[in-house]
Amino acid sequence: MKKIFLSIALLSNMMFTACEDMLDVEQKATSSTANFYKTDADAESALTAMYATYIGEIGATEGIWNAYIMGLNYSADDVFAAGGNIDDHADFRRLNEFRYDPSYAPISTLYNHIYKAIYSANLIIHYFGETADTPVKKQAVAEAKVMRAWAHMLAAQVYYQPPLIDHLITDEKPVNAESQKAIFDWCVKECEEALSDLPERKGKNDQEGAWVVTQGFARFVAGKSALFAGDNAKVISVMKPLVESQNYDLVPGERFRDLFHVEGDGCEEKIFEFNYVTNTAAAGGTEGWRGGNNRGRWMVANVLNWRGDDIKGGGTSPLICSTGGWGGGSINHEFAHKMLANDGDSYRRKATFLTSDEFFYDEKLCGWKSDATCTTRADKEFDENRGITNTYGSFSRSDVMEVKMMMHPNDADLSAGDNCNNTNLCIARLGEAYLIYAEACLSSQPDEAKKYINKIQQRAGSATVSATVDLEVLQNEKQYELWFEGCRWFDIVRWGIAKQCYDKVLDNVPYQTDEYWTSGGSKPHKLVYDIRHPYAEANITLKFVEGKNEYWPLPQNIIEINDQIHQVRGWAN
């Protein structure tokens, strides 16, 4: 994975060609295919290029946002797009509000990225799949099959009946998949077939074993795909060796926070992640989006950090902040209060969001520059150099402050800029694997389900450790554990509760104020909020349409160039 710099400039440029047919991309190479796909060295080189493509397509930025990170999480019911107001960052906030159609840019952007990544895997499978006669070549094909399966699994979670591209496209046109289940079942089969040619991770301290495809990741993709296919027995059989493996472990509770920051890169809980290593020279330096920092989520840090305009002293006055922010990705207040009641003063809760008291007064969890002179609680309570100064109300923010996906100072790669988050992008971790496995066990092996749910709760340091478990306990625990990790949208659709979840939150927007600033300095710093309905006031109706909004539509530009693909479900009309 350290060798992936050779093609990143090309990949960065390709990212922005959203209207191109991404299934018909001319191969770029220094030698013909007839001469290249021959040796073990060729297989390793092709595999390196495939990983570079996945990092560039899935993990890189679109200027100020990322289609994978924002698209998946902004479509959940427990996240507010936030920002400055209802018009701020409209390109991706409309995902949060169901104000999109098939022509909407983020929908086609993620689709294009997924299928360009699949193309890079298909190159390896096509040219080595039938002739792999050495362990190196066989392993390269197996890794490509798992990555291709992961991308198809993602496509089927986001879109309904997207194409299943199981070979290198030449002249034919892709068609809609037979069904969602057909895609997920195929993903399971691909991963199971790849297992025998894949290595195991070499123990809990094997960092590089989290940066390439291993048997563990193959089992994760197969198990998650089987869950979405409704095959609990397959989930259990394929994932049991993973959850019992000695090559992985949950990090202890005091390190839960590290899972989302550079300190946790390649740790014992990571099953697979995109390994970011900034190479500014490869893409022409560090200037803006033309620089090599695309792979470090440049400016996504600004989106997800707190709203600097609303904070006294700007975005870096709280010491937890690495750079000034725009306040996106805010945590839903109702979910936060529910988690606080469940978790209490847990490691997990404090790594997910801070209470008002922690935000203003806890120097370890937040800290302010003025702490150097404000040495007592009384000093801090009436400190004019901290707090939320927006007395009208900070949009989509409440009496808590999310911290889970904020870019902390250690995350910054200063060679590319103070807003370039160099934390690896986690695709699979053991905490999620435990919950997938536990859900599959609920009906047939309840004691086994309880065992793994309790492991999650105990590691979290939660105030609640369940004596009995059922689907509701599992659903809640998964939300607490995996907030803003790209799971919630897919889960509430799969559980059939999407409409009731979205109906509770649409146009019920919190506006946050600080009592110190609203009282003119007569009250101590304290976060409060009130609920408003800004969309109704602007004559904008937000509505989740059942049978339609569970999935994104297939991109209009793809349908226009391919008459064999059509819209399905509620998008067909």
Side-chain angles (χ1 to χ4, degrees):
M1 291 296 286
K2 301 293 185 182
K3 304 175 183 177
I4 63 177
F5 302 131
L6 63 144
S7 58
I8 198 65
L10 169 66
L11 295 170
S12 296
N13 289 332
M14 289 172 65
M15 279 173 48
F16 297 94
T17 316
C19 294
E20 185 179 354
D21 179 4
M22 297 307 171
L23 301 177
D24 187 22
V25 180
E26 179 185 357
Q27 182 186 356
K28 305 293 193 281
T30 57
S31 60
S32 70
T33 57
N35 295 327
F36 176 69
Y37 293 99
K38 299 294 185 183
T39 67
D40 283 357
D42 293 340
E44 290 180 332
S45 180
L47 195 61
T48 293
M50 181 199 73
Y51 280 116
T53 301
Y54 271 80
I55 292 175
E57 296 303 323
I58 305 299
T61 67
E62 312 299 327
I64 68 171
W65 57 286
N66 171 285
Y68 176 81
I69 297 171
M70 303 302 181
L72 271 54
N73 291 297
Y74 275 23
S75 297
D77 65 317
D78 53 12
V79 174
F80 287 117
N85 52 50
I86 64 174
D87 299 316
D88 195 24
H89 297 164
D91 280 351
F92 53 84
R93 72 171 306 105
R94 291 185 181 182
L95 301 173
N96 195 239
E97 303 158 353
F98 304 104
R99 293 195 293 153
Y100 55 79
D101 60 30
S103 299
Y104 193 51
I107 289 171
S108 61
T109 299
L110 183 57
Y111 183 97
N112 292 339
H113 286 329
I114 291 171
Y115 282 97
K116 284 170 68 176
I118 289 170
Y119 176 82
S120 71
N122 274 335
L123 283 172
I124 296 173
I125 298 165
H126 176 82
Y127 286 108
F128 285 111
E130 298 298 327
T131 62
D133 54 2
T134 68
V136 170
K137 295 175 187 175
K138 291 178 180 178
Q139 181 176 329
V141 172
E143 291 184 46
K145 282 189 171 184
V146 174
M147 292 305 299
R148 182 177 68 174
W150 175 83
H152 276 94
M153 178 185 74
L154 174 63
Q157 290 170 319
V158 175
Y159 308 94
Y160 201 81
Q161 291 181 247
L164 199 166
I165 310 298
D166 62 357
H167 61 285
L168 196 62
I169 291 293
T170 53
D171 298 325
E172 75 270 32
K173 294 180 179 180
V175 300
N176 295 85
E178 174 189 342
S179 66
Q180 300 299 89
K181 188 176 188 305
I183 299 175
F184 293 127
D185 286 342
W186 177 85
C187 293
V188 174
K189 177 181 70 69
E190 289 287 292
C191 291
E192 288 191 306
E193 290 178 355
L195 279 172
S196 60
D197 291 319
L198 291 172
E200 287 273 21
R201 188 182 190 183
K202 299 180 179 67
K204 299 173 186 176
N205 296 322
D206 176 20
Q207 281 192 313
E208 293 190 8
W211 302 337
V212 295
V213 172
T214 59
Q215 288 189 24
F217 185 54
R219 292 188 180 280
F220 179 91
V221 176
K224 190 168 184 175
S225 297
L227 187 70
F228 278 79
D231 189 347
N232 288 340
K234 176 61 73 174
V235 177
I236 294 169
S237 67
V238 77
M239 292 196 79
K240 189 175 181 65
L242 171 60
V243 299
E244 294 180 347
S245 172
Q246 297 303 304
N247 296 317
Y248 306 93
D249 202 358
L250 297 180
V251 300
E254 59 268 23
R255 286 174 49 212
F256 182 85
R257 167 249 177 232
D258 295 352
L259 289 170
F260 316 103
H261 302 280
V262 291
E263 293 87 349
D265 286 353
C267 71
E268 62 267 36
E269 188 163 337
K270 301 294 182 65
I271 298 172
F272 182 73
E273 62 186 10
F274 291 148
N275 182 33
Y276 288 131
V277 181
T278 302
N279 179 24
T280 55
T286 61
E287 180 186 354
W289 62 265
R290 291 180 291 275
N293 52 15
N294 272 331
R295 290 179 45 236
R297 288 182 277 170
W298 172 69
M299 287 177 70
V300 172
N302 300 107
V303 177
L304 296 182
N305 277 18
W306 295 329
R307 185 77 185 177
D309 289 351
D310 295 347
I311 297 177
K312 179 65 176 180
T316 58
S317 184
L319 299 179
I320 194 174
C321 296
S322 61
T323 188
W326 302 325
S330 175
I331 191 167
N332 176 277
H333 52 289
E334 290 190 355
F335 165 65
H337 296 160
K338 175 181 163 183
M339 184 175 179
L340 181 61
N342 181 85
D343 266 35
D345 193 34
S346 73
Y347 297 115
R348 179 173 65 185
R349 197 275 301 161
K350 288 187 288 188
T352 303
F353 65 87
L354 305 182
T355 64
S356 173
D357 207 65
E358 291 162 347
F359 172 65
F360 286 122
Y361 308 119
D362 192 314
E363 294 184 24
K364 182 177 180 182
L365 291 178
C366 182
W368 292 75
K369 290 180 179 178
S370 57
D371 286 339
T373 55
C374 295
T375 58
T376 68
R377 170 69 181 247
D379 291 338
K380 295 175 183 179
E381 285 181 346
F382 293 91
D383 174 26
E384 63 180 10
N385 293 308
R386 70 182 65 206
I388 304 299
T389 59
N390 185 341
T391 55
Y392 173 77
S394 190
F395 178 72
S396 285
R397 312 200 73 80
S398 64
D399 57 347
V400 301
M401 301 291 280
E402 74 285 340
V403 294
K404 187 172 184 178
M405 293 302 176
M406 279 181 57
M407 178 175 154
H408 295 181
N410 287 349
D411 301 331
D413 187 333
L414 297 180
S415 70
D418 64 2
N419 61 350
C420 178
N421 190 341
N422 209 40
T423 306
N424 286 349
L425 180 59
C426 183
I427 303 299
R429 65 180 177 92
L430 192 63
E432 183 183 355
Y434 277 4
L435 291 167
I436 291 171
Y437 178 74
E439 182 175 348
C441 290
L442 275 173
S443 59
S444 61
Q445 304 177 42
D447 288 343
E448 188 81 342
K450 178 177 180 292
K451 172 183 174 181
Y452 284 93
I453 291 173
N454 286 168
K455 281 178 179 283
I456 292 291
Q457 294 170 328
Q458 289 160 353
R459 185 276 294 275
S462 175
T464 304
V465 178
S466 302
T468 59
V469 298
D470 55 18
L471 181 58
E472 184 179 3
V473 169
L474 181 284
Q475 290 172 339
N476 288 336
E477 202 58 43
K478 197 167 188 184
Q479 189 179 21
Y480 303 143
E481 179 74 12
L482 298 170
W483 181 79
F484 215 98
E485 294 187 52
C487 296
R488 176 67 177 175
W489 168 26
F490 305 144
D491 281 337
I492 60 177
V493 168
R494 181 170 56 82
W495 292 325
I497 60 173
K499 181 171 175 56
Q500 67 189 67
C501 291
Y502 291 119
D503 284 350
K504 292 178 181 177
V505 301
L506 289 177
D507 203 21
N508 289 317
V509 181
Y511 281 71
Q512 174 195 77
T513 53
D514 175 356
E515 288 189 338
Y516 172 86
W517 290 100
T518 56
S519 70
S522 64
K523 292 184 178 181
H525 288 287
K526 181 182 179 182
L527 296 177
V528 295
Y529 70 97
D530 64 292
I531 300 297
R532 304 176 200 171
H533 312 286
Y535 296 92
E537 293 172 6
N539 293 317
I540 297 171
T541 299
L542 304 185
K543 183 179 181 182
F544 175 88
V545 179
E546 201 165 17
K548 177 180 181 179
N549 290 124
E550 290 89 349
Y551 299 88
W552 289 353
L554 296 169
Q556 184 64 29
N557 62 344
I558 296 299
I559 291 174
E560 288 174 355
I561 63 176
N562 183 356
D563 58 6
Q564 299 302 305
I565 291 181
H566 57 273
Q567 297 289 7
V568 292
R569 302 179 84 247
W571 294 105
N573 298 318

